Amino acid sequence: MQLYLDMQFVMIFSSQGRYLSRHLSQAIKTIIGRAIDAVAATGLDPNSVLPEDEWFVEVSQIAIKVLTGKSAFDNLEGDDGSPGASY
């Protein structure tokens, strides 16, 4: 799960700086695919142990906003509908 989140963060961060190329995007998707395949090879269903893709995107976007000073944690409180609300 951490690898998936890290890769999603790299993709979103690099796209905001306009550094995301087709090659980088494809490499990240390949890495994520291999990680999901590795989880599946253990007998676990990746879909049952991983949150939806949107969760990874949302958490990555929140992290980037916090790191760039465009958001604070106080602004995120009270959003119980978000996947990260339990964290």
Side-chain angles (χ1 to χ4, degrees):
M1 186 160 121
Q2 185 64 48
L3 173 70
Y4 196 146
L5 183 59
D6 291 346
M7 293 294 98
Q8 196 61 250
F9 178 83
V10 168
M11 246 177 26
I12 292 171
F13 185 79
S14 58
S15 70
Q16 287 189 358
R18 301 180 199 260
Y19 302 114
L20 184 64
S21 67
R22 273 185 296 129
H23 298 316
L24 178 58
S25 179
Q26 187 56 49
I28 290 171
K29 289 177 183 177
T30 299
I31 291 168
I32 290 171
R34 288 180 182 168
I36 289 173
D37 291 345
V39 170
T42 67
L44 290 173
D45 176 15
N47 295 321
S48 70
V49 294
L50 292 174
E52 296 293 321
D53 291 342
E54 294 79 21
W55 182 86
F56 291 100
V57 171
E58 183 179 338
V59 170
S60 296
Q61 289 172 337
I62 290 169
I64 289 169
K65 286 179 183 177
V66 170
L67 289 171
T68 59
K70 294 182 181 176
S71 180
F73 283 112
D74 328 339
N75 299 342
L76 302 174
E77 289 180 13
D79 185 10
D80 294 335
S82 73
S86 63
Y87 287 29

